[in-house]
Amino acid sequence: MIRRPLVLPDLMLRIHAPNRNEIAGGTSTAPGTLLDVPPATRFVFVCFTNRCGSAYLGDVLSSTGVFGQPYESLNAPETLPCCKAHGLRSFTEYFSHIVRRDSKDNIYIVKVMPEQILLLCETGILDQIVERSAFLIMIRSDRLAQAISQAIVQQNNRWTWDAPGTLPDEKLLYPADQIAQNMQHIALLNISFEQFFALNGIVPIMVEYEHLVAAPQLELDRLALRLGLRELKMDANRLRYRRQANAINRDWRSRFLTEPSPASEATIGDTSMRRGDRPAVPSPMTAQIIAHVQNVGDVTGACGAWIGMPGSGLPIEGFSITPGQDANAEDIEYLGITAPGQPPQWVPGGTFCGTRGLGSPLLAMGMRLRNAARSRYGCACSFRFVDGTEIGPVAADQLTHAGSLAPLEAFQILVGERSQIA
């Protein structure tokens, strides 16, 4: 049984959706129009994130002769010119057109990211076909390798092995912060898929890139069983895609794992807070800050950085602040509240405050300096909560919460000379 009508998780609504927005600005996305496709058509949606190996999966599937090659046909550069060329007045008409054009043996396969799921739901298309749809979610277990691969193509624009690229390998610059941001973005996209499936009672078919590469025919046998197909036989002679990893991937991986960890700052679409949104005062006092984000895990940062995952809708369950060599653990105190009426309990630096993995988000937080640090430095904090409430910078010593008591999503700690911090 699948929920009807389908519902969208808040995280999927928050994630940056440039293709969805451009399509909505260029043609009608209003719901209510019926699809004009053969009733026997089955749909296969390949749910993917960039550099997860979905192109190879599509190549393996199409080599069987059962499927057409799955493309990103629901992106704006494909949708809008086709609508104009064929006089299609809405996205629903466009979808009907490409299904009739590209189906093979009554199966239509297409690649989608969360923004395409959003578009298919908003237009009412997915509600019409979900009972005859299968969802393959392509994941790459080695998220660091995926993030590094994405960081490389973000510089050289070489999205496939045979593309010329715009930057030679020797010009690529190692970007630790970008790799860390890519990992968080990938995690959020995958979480949004998982939340969508769970909310609607959809059971996706998981395909792990590492297993697919190691034993493609075994994976095809499993997919055939899950899809209700008699058999799927790969034809290696029809494969087009090759792995792109080289010495640069290995070098960047080694550097990322041996050099100091970069601060974790998510960049999730227009709702994110990025460096420069609010000028951070250079911090004379160093500290390692760890926050445990629900459904993600621990993320790290430093004074002056936003800690958590701003704009994600994912709450912080707990945190710790460990001073560097320029301060002692007793020079700072902080507290977190997970339930209304909970008595405040200040803890010293280095102590974990809150919970991990128990589903008990922080509702309020405070931090203050003590001893010599209090007489020398000033401290202020800013907070963002999952309902969008933003508070700060506020002076230290205060326990801060949203008026709605919404869970804490991210925080920023500014430490500086007293003349710099009010």
Side-chain angles (χ1 to χ4, degrees), residues 77-322:
E78 289 74 31
T79 300
L80 296 179
C82 184
C83 286
K84 183 176 181 181
H86 295 276
L88 306 173
R89 298 167 297 176
S90 69
F91 182 76
T92 303
E93 288 188 10
Y94 168 76
F95 190 79
S96 300
H97 171 80
I98 60 173
V99 169
R100 295 192 304 269
R101 182 192 69 190
D102 298 334
S103 291
K104 184 171 185 177
D105 296 330
N106 288 325
I107 297 177
Y108 176 70
I109 186 169
V110 65
K111 293 174 63 176
V112 295
M113 293 186 78
E115 63 172 320
Q116 279 84 35
I117 294 290
L118 171 64
L119 184 60
L120 290 167
C121 286
E122 289 179 330
T123 53
I125 291 173
L126 201 52
D127 271 304
Q128 298 180 52
I129 61 174
V130 68
E131 299 289 353
R132 45 187 170 133
S133 298
F135 298 84
L136 310 184
I137 179 165
M138 185 74 188
I139 62 169
R140 189 166 177 174
S141 293
D142 191 343
R143 296 282 173 80
L144 176 56
Q146 183 179 353
I148 289 172
S149 177
Q150 187 172 353
I152 290 173
V153 300
Q154 284 167 333
Q155 291 188 43
N156 66 13
N157 204 34
R158 191 183 178 196
W159 291 93
T160 59
W161 70 272
D162 55 348
T166 57
L167 197 68
D169 287 352
E170 61 270 18
K171 297 291 186 180
L172 297 175
L173 300 176
Y174 170 67
D177 284 352
Q178 186 64 60
I179 292 170
Q181 291 175 11
N182 287 348
M183 285 193 292
Q184 293 193 4
H185 190 61
I186 291 164
L188 285 175
L189 293 176
N190 282 323
I191 289 170
S192 72
F193 275 132
E194 292 166 7
Q195 289 181 345
F196 172 75
F197 296 138
L199 281 172
N200 294 292
I202 296 170
V203 181
I205 302 171
M206 306 293 291
V207 183
E208 184 179 312
Y209 170 74
E210 287 81 2
H211 288 172
L212 179 67
V213 170
Q217 186 56 57
L218 285 178
E219 281 297 291
L220 280 176
D221 293 342
R222 185 178 68 86
L223 289 176
L225 182 64
R226 292 292 303 276
L227 291 169
L229 299 173
R230 184 172 181 179
E231 64 178 0
L232 293 172
K233 295 296 183 183
M234 184 182 75
D235 183 352
N237 294 321
R238 297 179 62 181
L239 298 180
R240 300 182 303 151
Y241 288 93
R242 302 177 187 173
R243 298 187 67 184
Q244 292 178 248
N246 57 25
I248 294 174
N249 301 67
R250 295 189 292 273
D251 176 61
W252 286 12
R253 184 186 187 91
S254 176
R255 291 185 63 178
F256 190 88
L257 294 175
T258 57
E259 295 179 2
S261 176
S264 295
E265 295 184 62
T267 53
I268 308 302
D270 297 331
T271 62
S272 298
M273 288 176 284
R274 304 176 177 87
R275 288 189 182 93
D277 281 0
R278 296 177 185 174
V281 177
S283 176
M285 190 182 86
T286 60
Q288 182 188 43
I289 307 174
I290 298 174
H292 185 82
V293 179
Q294 195 172 91
N295 296 328
V296 174
D298 287 355
V299 299
T300 62
C303 293
W306 278 96
I307 311 299
M309 306 191 78
S312 68
L314 298 174
I316 292 173
E317 295 185 354
F319 69 99
S320 66
I321 306 172
T322 304

